[in-house]
Amino acid sequence: MKDDVKDRNAPQSPARRRLLAGGAAAGGLLGAGALGLSGGLKAARAATAPAAADSLPPAVPDWTRYLGAGVDAHPYGMPSEHEAKVVRRSVEWLTATRESSVNFTPLYALDGFVTPNGLCFERHHGGLAEVDPAEHRLMIHGLVDRPLLFTVEDLKRFPQENRFYFLECAANSGMEWHGAQLNGVQYTHGMVHCVQYTGVSLRTLLKEVGLKDKAAWVLAEGADAAAMTRSIPLEKALDDCLVAYSMNGERLRPEQGYPIRLVVPGWEGNTWVKWLRRLELGDQPWYQREETSKYTDLLPNGKARMFTWVMDAKSVITSPAPELPMQQEGPVVIKGLAWSGHGAIKRVDVTVDGGINWQTAQLHGPVLPKCLTRFTFDWVWDGKPALLQSRCIDETGYVQPTMAALQEKRGVNSIYHNNSIQTWQINENGSVENVRLG
Amino acid sequence: MSVWDKARWATLLTATALSLAMLGGLSVHPARAAEQRYGLGTPATPEEIAGWNIDVRPDGLGLPEGSGSVADGEQIFLERCAACHGEFGEGAGRFPVLMGGQGTLDKAAPVKTIGSYWPYASTVWDYVHRAMPFGDAESLSADETYAVVAYLLNINDIVGDDFVLTKENLPKIVMPNAKGFFTMDAPEFQPYEPCMKDCKKEVKVIGHARVIDVTPDKPAGAGVE
């Protein structure tokens, strides 16, 4: 490993470079390797090496010479087999069961701001409900003039809305409060995704049933085995919420709530009730388990913040990352994502020296409110250790805090709403580590 | 005017327009009514609503008729819950602990349970009935739910051994941490213009994820809740 690094500057054959890259990858993944990553990466690299020798110029590769598979070989298209490692992954010890558990979006492997449907992280509380849309209804009742049942087909006949939003679990980065813990951006930040939703405005549906004067809260309930519930204030319900039936142009994936889910823009993912079956109007919140026992933020004085729905501005560098070690000195595109539940991202700054000096990154449009925003920063790596961070500012002027600033307000036991600045340390051998700065 | 007010106004205006039209004997053009309504969906009958309307509020709204004793609850708990939560709610393996933890919320390792953390007894009733036993949701009858909730309150020293939980007395139970929650009335951080150059003298790395080296079979730190 060390020797490899020493002659990094010597002229290299492609094969030699690949070897080095493989070595660096293994080095960078010591931590992540324990989470089951390095095997996949190393194997993938090894698999490409021999084939490449027969395919690079001047050779004529097999795929240029022989016919490929015909249409319909894959009626529903899948990514290339060379991308097989780009999947959602979980950390088994986090939860007692697989049915009430979570996995993580591979942020390190994605470009742009839209998350592919099959890579959107999953969080279930009673397993994945497999709902037959013909047998599913949305019930709206309580303090309404006309309690109604809607079929999914009914919902599609209402005027349609198409909007992009990020969804972040309130517990995203929740393992990092006590110190740098998980060595991979997939694990530290992967409980976020961003897709385009198609559906009907919740406001339209509430007008359809007619609200009684005293109605002030909406209880949303899922049809899964957890019958997941959250209380949502009517003001938010009438603002920008949707009942969505599609994501990224196709029907919702089962794990994202097929056939319908609630979309609560900018708010913690737990409120976006999947497999939505019921909306009840009431004059008070219900204080359900998911808004008392869970999703409340315990402070050092023993008191807990409640109803902290909005996801504050947050950003993270997605490459380089522990999963994507540095390959070579020279030009590098630092890529990342920024988002805010309060609106649009205004600016992202990047530092490579742990926060002594910052430079403003480039935002890649469209920069939409309550949506992931892609940023890049063109950098030249001199092969020396570096400390990379990103810091975002949203349209309200809110500046993403450091962990120290956040801990001053919240201590280390609030679990939820960790939107602090993330540090990646680049080591001389090219590996990238999750570290905590003092 | 808040969004909410606007929506109320809109509803009010339509209602007024409709009643004026009726008073004057004018027929309302269907398109006008459709400004507010599309006429989609079918009425939900009281029976349909009753089957799905399972939520319970702190003031008792939603609680069905019924009752259950601590003693009956203990039996049900041993049969239906203890495999995962332990005989006394102490939690088997990594399944949630359902008792104890009082006095730990302001300590380094707080233990959040029904007894130490939950603000309302209604939430216990609601959650157990809607989601437990894990994998056999909504299978407990009303009386069984009252009984098992009575047992959970008992092992948390909230009610005595002879207690019988009912629709009437459940909303009156004061949970130990009832006053432990607040809603924020101001933003956590104020906007400011962050420093861009020479922001600090030195940078110190105080922790490495690689050193902690968390592996799937070595539990460490807080889990996802």
Side-chain angles (χ1 to χ4, degrees), chain B residues 18 21 26-35:
Chain B
L18 281 173
L26 301 167
S27 67
V28 180
H29 192 274
R32 260 202 72 72
E35 234 174 62

Side-chain angles (χ1 to χ4, degrees), chain A residues 30 93 95 147 149 180 208 213 221 227 278 280 283 286-287 296 304 306 356-358 410 433-434 436 438, chain B residues 8 38-39 42 44 55 57 94 117 123 130 180 182 188 196 198-199 204 206-210 212 214-215:
Chain A
L30 282 181
W93 55 258
T95 51
L149 283 178
E208 190 72 16
D213 253 7
E221 181 179 81
R278 191 164 70 94
E280 181 177 357
D283 60 352
W286 282 260
Y287 298 99
T296 48
M306 179 173 248
I356 298 173
N357 295 298
W358 296 83
R410 290 213 236 133
E433 276 183 83
N434 173 11
R436 179 63 48 82
Chain B
R8 277 195 182 165
Y38 296 87
T42 48
D55 50 86
R57 250 170 34 173
R94 282 168 290 154
Y117 197 60
T123 313
R130 86 171 45 246
F182 69 99
E188 192 172 35
M196 297 294 284
D198 301 322
C199 302
K204 234 174 77 189
I206 57 166
H208 296 250
R210 276 173 62 181
I212 296 177
V214 184
T215 63

Side-chain angles (χ1 to χ4, degrees), chain A residues 9-342:
Chain A
N9 294 330
Q12 291 160 1
S13 70
R16 175 89 182 115
R17 279 213 307 275
R18 273 194 303 276
L19 211 81
L20 275 183
L29 282 162
L30 282 181
L35 300 170
L37 263 180
S38 73
L41 256 188
K42 263 189 289 185
R45 281 173 202 274
T48 51
D54 303 331
S55 305
L56 293 179
V60 176
D62 285 356
W63 51 76
T64 308
R65 185 156 173 200
Y66 306 112
L67 297 177
V71 295
D72 286 348
H74 306 284
Y76 193 99
M78 295 293 285
S80 158
E81 62 182 87
H82 300 286
E83 301 301 319
K85 66 178 188 295
V86 181
V87 290
R88 298 180 289 219
R89 291 174 192 274
S90 60
V91 178
E92 248 188 85
W93 55 258
L94 275 180
T95 51
T97 72
R98 306 299 285 164
E99 293 80 15
S100 180
S101 195
V102 62
N103 60 19
F104 302 86
T105 303
L107 295 180
Y108 71 91
L110 303 181
D111 287 311
F113 76 99
V114 179
T115 316
N117 285 341
L119 296 178
C120 291
F121 78 94
E122 300 172 89
R123 172 65 168 122
H124 311 318
H125 291 77
L128 193 167
E130 305 221 30
V131 175
D132 175 353
E135 296 285 305
H136 187 72
R137 295 291 181 276
L138 173 62
M139 176 185 285
I140 311 185
H141 71 109
L143 296 178
V144 302
D145 297 331
R146 295 167 289 276
L148 291 175
L149 283 178
F150 297 102
T151 63
V152 179
E153 290 310 312
D154 288 337
L155 296 176
K156 289 183 194 155
R157 293 172 65 191
F158 283 102
Q160 193 180 74
E161 303 275 341
N162 285 280
R163 294 191 236 137
F164 286 95
Y165 291 117
F166 80 82
L167 180 164
E168 184 183 19
C169 175
N172 199 20
S173 316
M175 287 78 76
E176 304 290 306
W177 279 100
H178 292 264
Q181 190 166 193
L182 296 174
N183 211 27
V185 70
Q186 180 162 10
Y187 301 104
T188 57
H189 288 76
M191 280 197 270
V192 67
H193 59 64
C194 182
V195 305
Q196 186 186 38
Y197 292 97
T198 306
V200 46
S201 156
L202 181 51
R203 187 186 180 119
T204 302
L205 294 180
L206 294 181
K207 277 189 191 164
E208 190 72 16
V209 294
L211 297 178
K212 296 250 195 255
D213 253 7
K214 283 176 91 176
W217 289 80
V218 182
L219 184 78
E221 181 179 81
D224 58 326
M228 169 62 59
T229 36
R230 285 296 298 258
S231 306
I232 293 165
L234 190 59
E235 188 167 0
K236 178 67 177 174
L238 292 173
D239 181 11
D240 55 1
C241 294
L242 302 176
V243 172
Y245 39 80
S246 288
M247 59 193 289
N248 287 337
E250 61 180 359
R251 296 291 171 251
L252 292 179
R253 289 293 171 89
E255 64 270 35
Q256 304 301 336
Y258 180 87
I260 49 172
R261 90 172 306 164
L262 194 62
V263 170
V264 191
W267 285 26
E268 58 191 21
N270 186 253
T271 61
W272 298 48
V273 172
K274 300 191 283 189
W275 310 291
L276 184 69
R277 74 160 187 176
R278 191 164 70 94
L279 295 166
E280 181 177 357
L281 279 293
D283 60 352
Q284 293 167 31
W286 282 260
Y287 298 99
Q288 293 284 292
R289 185 252 191 173
E290 304 290 327
E291 52 208 16
T292 54
S293 169
K294 308 294 168 191
Y295 302 96
T296 48
D297 320 327
L298 183 60
L299 304 185
N301 66 2
K303 301 283 179 211
R305 311 191 315 179
M306 179 173 248
F307 298 145
T308 46
W309 299 295
V310 181
M311 300 309 294
D312 285 327
K314 182 167 175 177
S315 72
V316 67
I317 292 172
T318 55
S319 163
E323 296 96 327
L324 291 175
M326 304 296 285
Q327 304 281 347
Q328 279 193 357
E329 288 171 24
V332 184
V333 180
I334 296 177
K335 298 189 305 178
L337 292 165
W339 60 96
S340 168
H342 288 284

